[in-house]
Amino acid sequence: MIAMVTGPQVAFWLLAPVMILAAIGMVLVRKAVHSALLLATVMICLAIQYAAQDAPFLFAVQIIVYTGAILMLFLFVLMLVGVDASDSLVETIRGQRLLAGIAFLGFGILLVAAIGSAAFGNPLGLADAQPDGNPKAIAALLFGKYVWAFEVTSALLITAAMGAMMLAHRERLTKKRTQRDHAEERIRKYAEQGVHPGPLPTPGVLARHNAVDTPALLPDGSIAPTSVSRVLQARGTVFPEDRERADVDEVRKLDAGDDFDEGEKR
């Protein structure tokens, strides 16, 4: 007799390969931001596994606390401290590879024991193990048996946030410029260098082209080079001037033809 496949089994076999590949990529990728995003993939897949196992509280905590808060803390630390420094291959802490190997071996033994207990044990079932519901049982463990570990973890997260703020803090060497200072500087540049004090002209808008890469036209019909980002100019992705003039001439002819047709109708 063929056993019926349940929803948790389908979720496991679909998401387990994704979680394993993301976990391996998290360790192997060179950029820290990519590693954090792969970690988010693992956390989201784990949250879906909780939902498939009828654990809505763990599903919400996994999304809100871990994926939404702690992972965002990782990204903020990366953005504040910076990730452009090259990685050094010189060991600064002696014996860290040996300690990492021992920790990996211990984690492997713990994982094998957990899987063996789940596979060959005698599970009671969710209703018998938690008769009052999942949230009450988890609250009893967090604020009862594991309250010390819970408080230590909270203190560790607060310490990490304070450390990120201290590392990212920079003393200001000059006085902070006000809006009046910026306005005076614009007027001074206009008087001395002829730089226009107003905002840059907006890109030209044509229906068949992206407005960002299309230069604006000045009142005399010439191209305004300052209307297109310098990044687009450096990449050579600016809409060609000759094609833009051809489009403008075509639009003018169409407008003139519409006016002529309306005059004839009148």
Side-chain angles (χ1 to χ4, degrees):
M1 182 177 180
I2 300 176
M4 182 177 296
V5 179
T6 61
Q9 293 177 349
V10 175
F12 174 79
W13 290 112
L14 288 178
L15 296 178
V18 178
M19 296 174 65
I20 294 174
L21 293 177
I24 296 175
M26 180 186 66
V27 181
L28 298 180
V29 294
R30 301 182 62 87
K31 293 185 178 181
V33 177
H34 295 170
S35 180
L37 294 177
L38 291 173
L39 178 60
T41 303
V42 176
M43 289 183 175
I44 293 174
C45 292
L46 185 59
I48 298 176
Q49 298 279 14
Y50 287 146
Q53 293 292 335
D54 295 331
F57 181 77
L58 289 178
F59 166 75
V61 170
Q62 182 70 25
I63 293 294
I64 298 173
V65 178
Y66 290 97
T67 308
I70 296 180
L71 186 62
M72 291 302 105
L73 178 62
F74 291 164
L75 294 178
F76 288 156
V77 171
L78 293 176
M79 289 187 292
L80 290 173
V81 178
V83 294
D84 55 348
S86 58
D87 297 332
S88 177
L89 299 179
V90 180
E91 287 192 24
T92 57
I93 302 177
R94 293 182 179 180
Q96 60 179 352
R97 295 188 178 181
L98 178 61
L99 294 176
I102 295 174
F104 177 76
L105 182 61
F107 179 76
I109 295 174
L110 180 62
L111 185 62
V112 171
I115 296 176
S117 176
F120 301 102
N122 186 17
L124 298 177
L126 185 61
D128 296 333
Q130 300 176 357
D132 295 332
N134 197 18
K136 289 185 178 181
I138 294 177
L141 291 176
L142 288 180
F143 299 103
K145 183 178 179 180
Y146 299 106
V147 63
W148 175 248
F150 183 72
E151 294 298 333
V152 170
T153 305
S154 303
L156 179 62
L157 294 177
I158 296 175
T159 305
M162 295 298 296
M165 294 174 61
M166 294 298 297
L167 290 174
H169 178 70
R170 296 293 183 271
E171 293 291 341
R172 184 178 295 276
L173 302 177
T174 58
K175 181 182 177 182
K176 184 178 180 180
R177 303 179 64 186
T178 61
Q179 187 69 22
R180 180 184 179 88
D181 297 333
H182 289 287
E184 292 178 353
E185 182 182 3
R186 289 196 297 267
I187 298 300
R188 189 181 304 109
K189 287 184 178 180
Y190 176 69
E192 297 175 355
Q193 305 175 10
V195 179
H196 194 273
L200 296 177
T202 58
V205 179
L206 295 177
R208 290 177 294 173
H209 307 291
N210 185 7
V212 177
D213 65 343
T214 306
L217 297 178
L218 298 176
D220 58 353
S222 60
I223 299 297
T226 56
S227 61
V228 180
S229 172
R230 290 179 296 177
V231 177
L232 296 179
Q233 296 180 8
R235 292 179 178 177
T237 57
V238 181
F239 193 71
E241 180 179 351
D242 54 348
R243 292 180 58 186
E244 183 181 7
R245 293 188 181 279
D247 290 339
V248 172
D249 294 338
E250 182 179 356
V251 171
R252 289 177 177 175
K253 291 179 181 179
L254 292 175
D255 291 342
D258 293 341
D259 295 341
F260 180 75
D261 294 339
E262 290 180 0
E264 285 184 348
K265 292 179 181 179
R266 293 178 182 175

PDB file of all heavy atoms in Angstrom, residues 166-189:
ATOM      1  N   MET A 166      28.836  52.407  17.545  1.00  0.00           N
ATOM      2  CA  MET A 166      30.145  52.934  17.919  1.00  0.00           C
ATOM      3  C   MET A 166      31.138  52.848  16.764  1.00  0.00           C
ATOM      4  O   MET A 166      31.938  53.763  16.535  1.00  0.00           O
ATOM      5  CB  MET A 166      30.681  52.175  19.134  1.00  0.00           C
ATOM      6  CG  MET A 166      29.887  52.388  20.407  1.00  0.00           C
ATOM      7  SD  MET A 166      29.907  54.124  20.941  1.00  0.00           S
ATOM      8  CE  MET A 166      31.666  54.329  21.257  1.00  0.00           C
ATOM      9  N   LEU A 167      31.087  51.752  16.000  1.00  0.00           N
ATOM     10  CA  LEU A 167      32.011  51.607  14.874  1.00  0.00           C
ATOM     11  C   LEU A 167      31.691  52.573  13.746  1.00  0.00           C
ATOM     12  O   LEU A 167      32.588  53.037  13.037  1.00  0.00           O
ATOM     13  CB  LEU A 167      31.960  50.169  14.349  1.00  0.00           C
ATOM     14  CG  LEU A 167      32.552  49.092  15.263  1.00  0.00           C
ATOM     15  CD1 LEU A 167      32.306  47.713  14.679  1.00  0.00           C
ATOM     16  CD2 LEU A 167      34.040  49.320  15.476  1.00  0.00           C
ATOM     17  N   ALA A 168      30.407  52.868  13.568  1.00  0.00           N
ATOM     18  CA  ALA A 168      30.003  53.756  12.477  1.00  0.00           C
ATOM     19  C   ALA A 168      30.061  55.227  12.857  1.00  0.00           C
ATOM     20  O   ALA A 168      29.916  56.089  11.975  1.00  0.00           O
ATOM     21  CB  ALA A 168      28.591  53.409  12.019  1.00  0.00           C
ATOM     22  N   HIS A 169      30.248  55.531  14.116  1.00  0.00           N
ATOM     23  CA  HIS A 169      30.248  56.938  14.551  1.00  0.00           C
ATOM     24  C   HIS A 169      31.516  57.636  14.082  1.00  0.00           C
ATOM     25  O   HIS A 169      32.624  57.103  14.195  1.00  0.00           O
ATOM     26  CB  HIS A 169      30.131  57.021  16.066  1.00  0.00           C
ATOM     27  CG  HIS A 169      30.173  58.431  16.583  1.00  0.00           C
ATOM     28  ND1 HIS A 169      29.140  59.326  16.371  1.00  0.00           N
ATOM     29  CD2 HIS A 169      31.129  59.101  17.284  1.00  0.00           C
ATOM     30  CE1 HIS A 169      29.455  60.485  16.922  1.00  0.00           C
ATOM     31  NE2 HIS A 169      30.654  60.366  17.486  1.00  0.00           N
ATOM     32  N   ARG A 170      31.357  58.804  13.551  1.00  0.00           N
ATOM     33  CA  ARG A 170      32.478  59.632  13.115  1.00  0.00           C
ATOM     34  C   ARG A 170      32.318  61.021  13.696  1.00  0.00           C
ATOM     35  O   ARG A 170      31.247  61.622  13.599  1.00  0.00           O
ATOM     36  CB  ARG A 170      32.531  59.721  11.575  1.00  0.00           C
ATOM     37  CG  ARG A 170      32.801  58.395  10.887  1.00  0.00           C
ATOM     38  CD  ARG A 170      34.193  57.887  11.178  1.00  0.00           C
ATOM     39  NE  ARG A 170      34.479  56.660  10.456  1.00  0.00           N
ATOM     40  CZ  ARG A 170      34.228  55.451  10.896  1.00  0.00           C
ATOM     41  NH1 ARG A 170      33.651  55.308  12.100  1.00  0.00           N
ATOM     42  NH2 ARG A 170      34.521  54.390  10.183  1.00  0.00           N
ATOM     43  N   GLU A 171      33.392  61.534  14.276  1.00  0.00           N
ATOM     44  CA  GLU A 171      33.350  62.874  14.827  1.00  0.00           C
ATOM     45  C   GLU A 171      33.334  63.898  13.697  1.00  0.00           C
ATOM     46  O   GLU A 171      34.110  63.803  12.744  1.00  0.00           O
ATOM     47  CB  GLU A 171      34.566  63.111  15.737  1.00  0.00           C
ATOM     48  CG  GLU A 171      34.575  62.273  17.003  1.00  0.00           C
ATOM     49  CD  GLU A 171      33.494  62.701  17.970  1.00  0.00           C
ATOM     50  OE1 GLU A 171      32.994  63.837  17.830  1.00  0.00           O
ATOM     51  OE2 GLU A 171      33.146  61.892  18.857  1.00  0.00           O
ATOM     52  N   ARG A 172      32.464  64.886  13.815  1.00  0.00           N
ATOM     53  CA  ARG A 172      32.382  65.927  12.802  1.00  0.00           C
ATOM     54  C   ARG A 172      33.519  66.916  12.984  1.00  0.00           C
ATOM     55  O   ARG A 172      33.708  67.489  14.067  1.00  0.00           O
ATOM     56  CB  ARG A 172      31.031  66.644  12.892  1.00  0.00           C
ATOM     57  CG  ARG A 172      30.834  67.693  11.807  1.00  0.00           C
ATOM     58  CD  ARG A 172      29.467  68.330  11.921  1.00  0.00           C
ATOM     59  NE  ARG A 172      28.420  67.361  11.672  1.00  0.00           N
ATOM     60  CZ  ARG A 172      27.994  67.042  10.453  1.00  0.00           C
ATOM     61  NH1 ARG A 172      28.535  67.619   9.391  1.00  0.00           N
ATOM     62  NH2 ARG A 172      27.044  66.155  10.303  1.00  0.00           N
ATOM     63  N   LEU A 173      34.304  67.101  11.920  1.00  0.00           N
ATOM     64  CA  LEU A 173      35.451  68.001  11.987  1.00  0.00           C
ATOM     65  C   LEU A 173      35.097  69.425  11.610  1.00  0.00           C
ATOM     66  O   LEU A 173      35.812  70.360  11.976  1.00  0.00           O
ATOM     67  CB  LEU A 173      36.571  67.489  11.061  1.00  0.00           C
ATOM     68  CG  LEU A 173      37.084  66.069  11.358  1.00  0.00           C
ATOM     69  CD1 LEU A 173      38.133  65.662  10.342  1.00  0.00           C
ATOM     70  CD2 LEU A 173      37.634  65.990  12.773  1.00  0.00           C
ATOM     71  N   THR A 174      34.035  69.606  10.885  1.00  0.00           N
ATOM     72  CA  THR A 174      33.628  70.944  10.458  1.00  0.00           C
ATOM     73  C   THR A 174      32.200  71.194  10.931  1.00  0.00           C
ATOM     74  O   THR A 174      31.466  70.265  11.293  1.00  0.00           O
ATOM     75  CB  THR A 174      33.699  71.086   8.929  1.00  0.00           C
ATOM     76  OG1 THR A 174      32.866  70.086   8.328  1.00  0.00           O
ATOM     77  CG2 THR A 174      35.134  70.913   8.445  1.00  0.00           C
ATOM     78  N   LYS A 175      31.812  72.433  10.895  1.00  0.00           N
ATOM     79  CA  LYS A 175      30.469  72.806  11.298  1.00  0.00           C
ATOM     80  C   LYS A 175      29.457  72.323  10.263  1.00  0.00           C
ATOM     81  O   LYS A 175      29.708  72.364   9.063  1.00  0.00           O
ATOM     82  CB  LYS A 175      30.377  74.329  11.442  1.00  0.00           C
ATOM     83  CG  LYS A 175      29.017  74.831  11.889  1.00  0.00           C
ATOM     84  CD  LYS A 175      28.994  76.351  11.957  1.00  0.00           C
ATOM     85  CE  LYS A 175      27.603  76.845  12.343  1.00  0.00           C
ATOM     86  NZ  LYS A 175      27.553  78.333  12.378  1.00  0.00           N
ATOM     87  N   LYS A 176      28.321  71.864  10.759  1.00  0.00           N
ATOM     88  CA  LYS A 176      27.279  71.388   9.853  1.00  0.00           C
ATOM     89  C   LYS A 176      26.703  72.549   9.062  1.00  0.00           C
ATOM     90  O   LYS A 176      26.362  73.596   9.615  1.00  0.00           O
ATOM     91  CB  LYS A 176      26.167  70.703  10.655  1.00  0.00           C
ATOM     92  CG  LYS A 176      25.087  70.086   9.782  1.00  0.00           C
ATOM     93  CD  LYS A 176      24.042  69.371  10.610  1.00  0.00           C
ATOM     94  CE  LYS A 176      22.974  68.749   9.728  1.00  0.00           C
ATOM     95  NZ  LYS A 176      21.934  68.040  10.525  1.00  0.00           N
ATOM     96  N   ARG A 177      26.616  72.351   7.748  1.00  0.00           N
ATOM     97  CA  ARG A 177      26.144  73.416   6.866  1.00  0.00           C
ATOM     98  C   ARG A 177      24.624  73.482   6.907  1.00  0.00           C
ATOM     99  O   ARG A 177      23.935  72.454   6.866  1.00  0.00           O
ATOM    100  CB  ARG A 177      26.634  73.163   5.445  1.00  0.00           C
ATOM    101  CG  ARG A 177      28.148  73.054   5.342  1.00  0.00           C
ATOM    102  CD  ARG A 177      28.586  72.787   3.929  1.00  0.00           C
ATOM    103  NE  ARG A 177      28.241  73.893   3.063  1.00  0.00           N
ATOM    104  CZ  ARG A 177      28.409  73.864   1.735  1.00  0.00           C
ATOM    105  NH1 ARG A 177      28.885  72.781   1.138  1.00  0.00           N
ATOM    106  NH2 ARG A 177      28.070  74.907   1.011  1.00  0.00           N
ATOM    107  N   THR A 178      24.129  74.697   6.958  1.00  0.00           N
ATOM    108  CA  THR A 178      22.693  74.922   6.993  1.00  0.00           C
ATOM    109  C   THR A 178      22.154  75.161   5.583  1.00  0.00           C
ATOM    110  O   THR A 178      22.910  75.218   4.606  1.00  0.00           O
ATOM    111  CB  THR A 178      22.362  76.121   7.891  1.00  0.00           C
ATOM    112  OG1 THR A 178      22.992  77.304   7.339  1.00  0.00           O
ATOM    113  CG2 THR A 178      22.886  75.898   9.311  1.00  0.00           C
ATOM    114  N   GLN A 179      20.836  75.305   5.487  1.00  0.00           N
ATOM    115  CA  GLN A 179      20.221  75.592   4.207  1.00  0.00           C
ATOM    116  C   GLN A 179      20.659  76.950   3.677  1.00  0.00           C
ATOM    117  O   GLN A 179      20.842  77.133   2.464  1.00  0.00           O
ATOM    118  CB  GLN A 179      18.690  75.550   4.355  1.00  0.00           C
ATOM    119  CG  GLN A 179      17.933  75.672   3.048  1.00  0.00           C
ATOM    120  CD  GLN A 179      18.098  74.438   2.169  1.00  0.00           C
ATOM    121  OE1 GLN A 179      18.422  73.361   2.668  1.00  0.00           O
ATOM    122  NE2 GLN A 179      17.880  74.583   0.880  1.00  0.00           N
ATOM    123  N   ARG A 180      20.874  77.886   4.564  1.00  0.00           N
ATOM    124  CA  ARG A 180      21.347  79.208   4.150  1.00  0.00           C
ATOM    125  C   ARG A 180      22.751  79.125   3.546  1.00  0.00           C
ATOM    126  O   ARG A 180      23.045  79.791   2.542  1.00  0.00           O
ATOM    127  CB  ARG A 180      21.346  80.149   5.360  1.00  0.00           C
ATOM    128  CG  ARG A 180      21.822  81.559   5.042  1.00  0.00           C
ATOM    129  CD  ARG A 180      21.890  82.412   6.300  1.00  0.00           C
ATOM    130  NE  ARG A 180      22.354  83.755   6.006  1.00  0.00           N
ATOM    131  CZ  ARG A 180      21.555  84.763   5.654  1.00  0.00           C
ATOM    132  NH1 ARG A 180      20.253  84.576   5.573  1.00  0.00           N
ATOM    133  NH2 ARG A 180      22.052  85.968   5.395  1.00  0.00           N
ATOM    134  N   ASP A 181      23.616  78.282   4.125  1.00  0.00           N
ATOM    135  CA  ASP A 181      24.967  78.117   3.584  1.00  0.00           C
ATOM    136  C   ASP A 181      24.928  77.529   2.181  1.00  0.00           C
ATOM    137  O   ASP A 181      25.668  77.972   1.286  1.00  0.00           O
ATOM    138  CB  ASP A 181      25.789  77.225   4.513  1.00  0.00           C
ATOM    139  CG  ASP A 181      25.982  77.849   5.884  1.00  0.00           C
ATOM    140  OD1 ASP A 181      25.962  79.102   5.967  1.00  0.00           O
ATOM    141  OD2 ASP A 181      26.149  77.092   6.869  1.00  0.00           O
ATOM    142  N   HIS A 182      24.075  76.548   1.964  1.00  0.00           N
ATOM    143  CA  HIS A 182      23.964  75.964   0.621  1.00  0.00           C
ATOM    144  C   HIS A 182      23.440  76.987  -0.387  1.00  0.00           C
ATOM    145  O   HIS A 182      23.921  77.041  -1.528  1.00  0.00           O
ATOM    146  CB  HIS A 182      23.026  74.750   0.673  1.00  0.00           C
ATOM    147  CG  HIS A 182      23.617  73.566   1.373  1.00  0.00           C
ATOM    148  ND1 HIS A 182      24.616  72.782   0.837  1.00  0.00           N
ATOM    149  CD2 HIS A 182      23.347  73.022   2.597  1.00  0.00           C
ATOM    150  CE1 HIS A 182      24.930  71.811   1.665  1.00  0.00           C
ATOM    151  NE2 HIS A 182      24.171  71.930   2.751  1.00  0.00           N
ATOM    152  N   ALA A 183      22.459  77.791   0.006  1.00  0.00           N
ATOM    153  CA  ALA A 183      21.915  78.798  -0.906  1.00  0.00           C
ATOM    154  C   ALA A 183      22.974  79.847  -1.249  1.00  0.00           C
ATOM    155  O   ALA A 183      23.109  80.255  -2.413  1.00  0.00           O
ATOM    156  CB  ALA A 183      20.690  79.459  -0.279  1.00  0.00           C
ATOM    157  N   GLU A 184      23.729  80.307  -0.254  1.00  0.00           N
ATOM    158  CA  GLU A 184      24.788  81.281  -0.517  1.00  0.00           C
ATOM    159  C   GLU A 184      25.862  80.720  -1.430  1.00  0.00           C
ATOM    160  O   GLU A 184      26.400  81.432  -2.299  1.00  0.00           O
ATOM    161  CB  GLU A 184      25.394  81.743   0.805  1.00  0.00           C
ATOM    162  CG  GLU A 184      24.454  82.587   1.661  1.00  0.00           C
ATOM    163  CD  GLU A 184      25.090  82.967   2.974  1.00  0.00           C
ATOM    164  OE1 GLU A 184      26.204  82.456   3.261  1.00  0.00           O
ATOM    165  OE2 GLU A 184      24.486  83.777   3.721  1.00  0.00           O
ATOM    166  N   GLU A 185      26.185  79.430  -1.263  1.00  0.00           N
ATOM    167  CA  GLU A 185      27.189  78.817  -2.138  1.00  0.00           C
ATOM    168  C   GLU A 185      26.699  78.737  -3.573  1.00  0.00           C
ATOM    169  O   GLU A 185      27.468  78.982  -4.518  1.00  0.00           O
ATOM    170  CB  GLU A 185      27.536  77.424  -1.618  1.00  0.00           C
ATOM    171  CG  GLU A 185      28.611  76.738  -2.436  1.00  0.00           C
ATOM    172  CD  GLU A 185      28.907  75.344  -1.933  1.00  0.00           C
ATOM    173  OE1 GLU A 185      28.218  74.899  -0.984  1.00  0.00           O
ATOM    174  OE2 GLU A 185      29.808  74.685  -2.496  1.00  0.00           O
ATOM    175  N   ARG A 186      25.420  78.426  -3.773  1.00  0.00           N
ATOM    176  CA  ARG A 186      24.891  78.381  -5.143  1.00  0.00           C
ATOM    177  C   ARG A 186      24.925  79.755  -5.797  1.00  0.00           C
ATOM    178  O   ARG A 186      25.301  79.877  -6.977  1.00  0.00           O
ATOM    179  CB  ARG A 186      23.460  77.831  -5.121  1.00  0.00           C
ATOM    180  CG  ARG A 186      23.368  76.337  -4.808  1.00  0.00           C
ATOM    181  CD  ARG A 186      22.011  75.788  -5.184  1.00  0.00           C
ATOM    182  NE  ARG A 186      20.960  76.412  -4.397  1.00  0.00           N
ATOM    183  CZ  ARG A 186      20.483  75.918  -3.267  1.00  0.00           C
ATOM    184  NH1 ARG A 186      20.976  74.781  -2.789  1.00  0.00           N
ATOM    185  NH2 ARG A 186      19.517  76.526  -2.607  1.00  0.00           N
ATOM    186  N   ILE A 187      24.548  80.786  -5.041  1.00  0.00           N
ATOM    187  CA  ILE A 187      24.586  82.133  -5.611  1.00  0.00           C
ATOM    188  C   ILE A 187      26.019  82.572  -5.889  1.00  0.00           C
ATOM    189  O   ILE A 187      26.310  83.231  -6.896  1.00  0.00           O
ATOM    190  CB  ILE A 187      23.879  83.125  -4.658  1.00  0.00           C
ATOM    191  CG1 ILE A 187      22.405  82.738  -4.480  1.00  0.00           C
ATOM    192  CG2 ILE A 187      23.994  84.542  -5.183  1.00  0.00           C
ATOM    193  CD1 ILE A 187      21.612  82.728  -5.766  1.00  0.00           C
ATOM    194  N   ARG A 188      26.955  82.192  -5.023  1.00  0.00           N
ATOM    195  CA  ARG A 188      28.361  82.542  -5.231  1.00  0.00           C
ATOM    196  C   ARG A 188      28.911  81.866  -6.482  1.00  0.00           C
ATOM    197  O   ARG A 188      29.637  82.494  -7.273  1.00  0.00           O
ATOM    198  CB  ARG A 188      29.182  82.142  -4.001  1.00  0.00           C
ATOM    199  CG  ARG A 188      30.625  82.648  -4.028  1.00  0.00           C
ATOM    200  CD  ARG A 188      31.386  82.193  -2.802  1.00  0.00           C
ATOM    201  NE  ARG A 188      30.728  82.597  -1.578  1.00  0.00           N
ATOM    202  CZ  ARG A 188      30.118  81.765  -0.750  1.00  0.00           C
ATOM    203  NH1 ARG A 188      30.075  80.462  -1.030  1.00  0.00           N
ATOM    204  NH2 ARG A 188      29.542  82.202   0.342  1.00  0.00           N
ATOM    205  N   LYS A 189      28.574  80.587  -6.691  1.00  0.00           N
ATOM    206  CA  LYS A 189      29.020  79.908  -7.905  1.00  0.00           C
ATOM    207  C   LYS A 189      28.398  80.516  -9.152  1.00  0.00           C
ATOM    208  O   LYS A 189      29.033  80.581 -10.211  1.00  0.00           O
ATOM    209  CB  LYS A 189      28.669  78.418  -7.812  1.00  0.00           C
ATOM    210  CG  LYS A 189      29.529  77.640  -6.853  1.00  0.00           C
ATOM    211  CD  LYS A 189      29.176  76.159  -6.899  1.00  0.00           C
ATOM    212  CE  LYS A 189      30.070  75.346  -5.975  1.00  0.00           C
ATOM    213  NZ  LYS A 189      29.754  73.904  -6.007  1.00  0.00           N
TER     214      LYS A 189
END
